[in-house]
Amino acid sequence: MADSVLSLKNLNVGFPGMTVVRDLNLDVADGAFVSLLGPSGSGKSTVLRTIAGLLPALGGRIVLEGLEITALPPERRNVGIVFQNYALFPTMTAFENIAFALRVAKNRQEEIARRVHEVAAMAAITDQLDKKPASMSGGQQQRVAIARALVTGSRVLLFDEPLSNLDAKVRTSMRKEIKRLQSELGFTAIFVTHDQEDALTMSDAIVVFNHGRIEQIGDGRTLYRKPATPFICEFIGISNELAPPLAARLLGRDVKGRSFVRHEDVVLGAAAGIPARVNHVEFLGAYSRVDLEVEGHALSAMLIGDQFPELGSTVSLGIRPGAAHTFPEERR
Ligand SMILES: Nc1ncnc2c1ncn2[C@@H]1O[C@H](COP(=O)(O)OP(=O)(O)OP(=O)(O)O)[C@@H](O)[C@H]1O
Ligand SMILES: [Mg+2]
């Protein structure tokens, strides 16, 4: 891709004697928001740290803005990094935190002040510059961390789970905040998360890792609607795997391989359905979650609105037409 700002070419990452991710190929367009999503231990942080130069690549190439940076030390790569806890220096003010790298690089005082104020204005934290992190809100600390990552001129910011310590409400507003800063400041973001909501809500593209392999790369809708592998189908959203005989009955045709149906695609009260027993019902406000047993198999359903089947009753179970995902064989 001609307009990629960052390209990973057959990149191998890991540690001496242990390759964590092999043959990673990725082109990131200028200004894009790309998430690296995957379960714990799948290699997301290792990839990020290798891009930042905190770990040496085991093979392959990293090209940033047309320049090969694979062997450059971190300070000579034009990338900024924002960590989970923001990693601000607690005894320094916001100004000093943002200025730190410029001071290390021995910039002149006036130049440092000019650049810190410029980036602080863009991040809307000019009035916070004299404060220390402990007296700032989480959102303000996040902006300081982003300003610090941008001040040296980096156009690519790497985020390693910056939202993972936050409760659900704060997390939602922080997502919007990061997206707002991104669109105003125009940086390219590589965002590591194990949270599918982070990835689905923020990303232009999501790279899904599993056991050191890339399972699929695509936008959120594609991953959700057209999962390439059983892993994606189970990892994003909530899916029921259907045993082959049950799949055949529900789909009305012979099914080879593995079949899945998402819990919101299970229909109760279907016209030509299969009898299912209601084993458990949980009311969650906007929807209810229902555990069913059908022909000896467990199945979960999500019912929106007022649908609330009676515990122990028998209902007629079907699935929305076209909603099942079938995988002829494991693509390995
Ligand atoms: N310093 C290290 N030395 C050796 N192995 C390591 C080191 N750090 C991580 N690993 C291993 O590398 C693999 C990938 O770890 P990594 O931290 O990249 O996972 P992750 O996807 O970021 O997981 P999480 O969501 O838990 O942060 C794991 O098996 C881990 O045990
Ligand atoms: Mg990690």
Side-chain angles (χ1 to χ4, degrees):
M1 245 162 75
D3 61 344
S4 312
V5 63
L6 176 71
S7 295
L8 310 180
K9 298 179 191 292
N10 299 316
L11 187 67
N12 291 344
V13 306
F15 305 93
M18 178 176 134
T19 302
V20 171
V21 179
R22 208 178 285 279
D23 280 333
L24 173 56
N25 285 289
L26 182 67
D27 283 311
V28 180
D30 193 14
F33 196 106
V34 175
S35 289
L36 311 184
L37 175 69
S40 186
S42 58
K44 308 176 297 288
S45 295
T46 306
V47 169
L48 206 72
R49 295 177 65 206
T50 307
I51 297 171
L54 304 172
L55 281 172
L58 301 183
R61 301 197 298 137
I62 305 169
V63 178
L64 181 73
E65 295 170 299
L67 192 79
E68 169 144 11
I69 60 162
T70 321
L72 290 184
E75 64 277 9
R76 295 196 41 218
R77 301 182 181 204
N78 204 10
V79 298
I81 189 159
V82 178
F83 291 100
Q84 180 173 349
N85 48 9
Y86 311 134
L88 297 175
F89 302 112
T91 59
M92 295 184 187
T93 63
F95 181 97
E96 289 162 340
N97 266 284
I98 299 169
F100 185 78
L102 300 176
R103 286 206 207 289
V104 171
K106 303 222 177 345
N107 284 273
R108 290 182 11 256
Q109 282 305 343
E110 314 86 84
E111 174 68 6
I112 292 173
R114 186 186 68 74
R115 283 166 68 176
V116 171
H117 279 105
E118 186 179 80
V119 73
M122 291 193 295
I125 45 167
T126 302
D127 55 348
Q128 305 293 320
L129 285 175
D130 295 332
K131 286 193 188 170
K132 291 186 177 162
S135 53
M136 284 183 255
S137 74
Q140 289 161 346
Q141 290 182 45
Q142 176 166 282
R143 288 189 224 178
V144 173
I146 292 175
R148 183 176 64 174
L150 286 168
V151 76
T152 53
S154 303
R155 305 291 305 136
V156 175
L157 292 203
L158 311 176
F159 293 84
D160 196 353
E161 307 245 12
L163 306 179
S164 64
N165 288 336
L166 306 171
D167 66 49
K169 280 227 167 85
V170 181
R171 199 174 176 117
T172 307
S173 67
M174 292 291 203
R175 282 182 192 135
K176 291 186 188 152
E177 177 75 19
I178 292 177
K179 288 297 284 182
R180 186 188 67 76
L181 284 171
Q182 192 211 5
S183 66
E184 281 174 19
L185 307 180
F187 57 84
T188 303
I190 314 287
F191 189 94
V192 163
T193 182
H194 62 262
D195 184 279
Q196 55 170 291
E197 264 192 32
D198 283 353
L200 289 172
T201 53
M202 303 175 82
S203 317
D204 302 308
I206 304 173
V207 183
V208 186
F209 288 74
N210 179 32
H211 286 308
R213 247 195 319 258
I214 304 292
E215 290 271 338
Q216 190 171 3
I217 302 178
D219 62 22
R221 282 165 196 239
T222 305
L223 296 186
Y224 199 81
R225 298 281 167 227
K226 296 189 168 59
T229 65
F231 174 83
I232 298 284
C233 196
E234 294 192 289
F235 189 65
I236 299 180
I238 299 176
S239 293
N240 296 287
E241 180 159 7
L242 304 173
L246 180 61
R249 283 198 63 187
L250 285 168
L251 300 180
R253 60 181 161 86
D254 245 14
V255 183
K256 289 212 170 55
R258 301 177 67 186
S259 309
F260 298 85
V261 62
R262 298 206 184 278
H263 71 169
E264 72 273 23
D265 293 326
V266 174
V267 180
L268 302 192
I274 303 174
R277 192 186 126 89
V278 177
N279 276 344
H280 188 73
V281 186
E282 282 174 347
F283 176 68
L284 287 138
Y287 66 95
S288 297
R289 194 161 47 215
V290 183
D291 291 342
L292 301 150
E293 189 183 319
V294 51
E295 299 186 342
H297 303 285
L299 211 74
S300 77
M302 188 198 88
L303 305 177
I304 54 169
D306 296 335
Q307 302 180 69
F308 199 81
E310 198 178 327
L311 202 60
S313 65
T314 297
V315 293
S316 172
L317 179 135
I319 59 177
R320 254 177 254 292
H325 298 283
T326 58
F327 301 92
E329 67 222 41
E330 286 280 28
R331 297 223 232 143
R332 288 280 172 250

